[in-house]
């Protein structure tokens, strides 16, 4: 496939993903799995999980970060730029069109009810994404222990998520080094 065709395919694919994804990066996971992993084979499930983890730990929107990673992996730096622009393009257009309309009609009861229904749907999409991430992240008893400890810390401690990310990264490195030494 020529570079131009690949870039066009990246743009169309990520614009399509960006146009049908509601609820942000977590809700996007299932669509990315279907489109990027299963259909296009631009990344494996493990790579996608890694991109999500890194996207969560770095500044910016997860969906944009993941699109950038996949675009760069697929077609280099220009691929990263194309995928990034493509994933935000539909939102930019839709939000620009809806911003004024939503402001005018947001006080109507049926609009409030519609948004309440959308929030429920988005929470289910996010829940499904969390389950998928859990299945790919917790692969043995060691990662389960890290998961339980970080979950308990997140629930019971009022500290920055950055601290949990650093602790989990250090724990992962230590466990991998110990496994390599055996």
């Amino acid at each position: 496939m020529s570079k131009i065709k690949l870039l066009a395919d990246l743009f169309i694919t990520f614009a399509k993903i960006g146009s049908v994804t509601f609820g942000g990066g977590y809700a996007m996971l299932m669509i990315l799995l279907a489109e990027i992993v299963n259909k296009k084979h631009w990344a494996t499930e493990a790579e996608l999980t890694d991109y999500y983890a890194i996207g969560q730990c770095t500044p910016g929107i997860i969906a944009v970060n993941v699109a950038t990673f996949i675009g760069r992996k697929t077609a280099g730096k220009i691929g990263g730029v194309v995928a990034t622009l493509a994933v935000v393009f539909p939102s930019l257009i839709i939000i620009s069109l809806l911003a004024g309309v939503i402001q005018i009609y947001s006080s109507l009861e049926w609009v409030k009810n519609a948004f309440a229904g959308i929030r429920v749907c988005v929470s289910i999409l996010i829940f499904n994404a969390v389950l998928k991430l859990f299945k790919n992240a917790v692969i043995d008893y060691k990662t389960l222990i890290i998961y339980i400890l970080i979950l308990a810390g997140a629930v019971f401690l009022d500290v920055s998520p950055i601290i949990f990310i650093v602790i989990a990264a250090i724990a992962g490195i230590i466990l991998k080094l110990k496994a390599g030494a055996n």
Side-chain angles (χ1 to χ4, degrees):
M1 183 182 285
S2 76
K3 185 81 166 191
I4 299 293
K5 284 186 179 181
L6 179 59
L7 292 172
D9 194 18
L10 268 171
F11 187 89
I12 291 166
T13 300
F14 277 100
K16 183 171 71 171
I17 290 168
S19 67
V20 298
T21 302
F22 299 91
Y26 292 117
M28 173 187 254
L29 180 60
M30 301 311 286
I31 295 169
L32 282 172
L33 280 169
E35 198 66 28
I36 303 303
V37 174
N38 298 332
K39 185 176 176 185
K40 300 288 184 179
H41 306 288
W42 288 338
T44 65
E45 267 192 55
E47 287 172 326
L48 186 59
T49 301
D50 290 344
Y51 296 154
Y52 255 75
I54 295 167
Q56 178 67 39
C57 299
T58 54
I61 301 166
I62 297 170
V64 171
N65 294 347
V66 171
T68 305
F69 287 133
I70 292 170
R72 189 170 194 290
K73 177 187 184 262
T74 305
K77 291 177 184 173
I78 189 71
V81 171
V82 166
T84 301
L85 292 175
V87 81
V88 299
F89 181 72
S91 296
L92 178 68
I93 299 301
I94 292 167
I95 289 170
S96 295
L97 295 173
L98 291 179
V101 175
I102 288 174
Q103 196 67 13
I104 293 168
Y105 297 108
S106 64
S107 62
L108 296 175
E109 200 60 35
W110 70 270
V111 173
K112 291 178 185 177
N113 293 337
F115 280 119
I118 291 169
R119 282 192 299 273
V120 169
C121 179
V122 168
S123 69
I124 295 301
L125 294 173
I126 292 170
F127 179 74
N128 283 337
V130 168
L131 286 178
K132 188 71 171 174
L133 285 170
F134 177 85
K135 290 176 186 175
N136 286 320
V138 179
I139 55 175
D140 56 20
Y141 78 92
K142 294 174 186 174
T143 52
L144 179 61
I145 291 169
I146 293 172
Y147 175 84
I148 291 169
L149 292 173
I150 297 297
L151 178 63
V155 170
F156 297 112
L157 301 175
D158 186 24
V159 297
S160 170
I162 301 292
I163 292 172
F164 296 123
I165 292 166
V166 170
I167 290 169
I170 291 169
I173 291 167
I174 291 169
L175 291 174
K176 188 68 175 176
L177 289 174
K178 281 183 133 181
N182 291 335

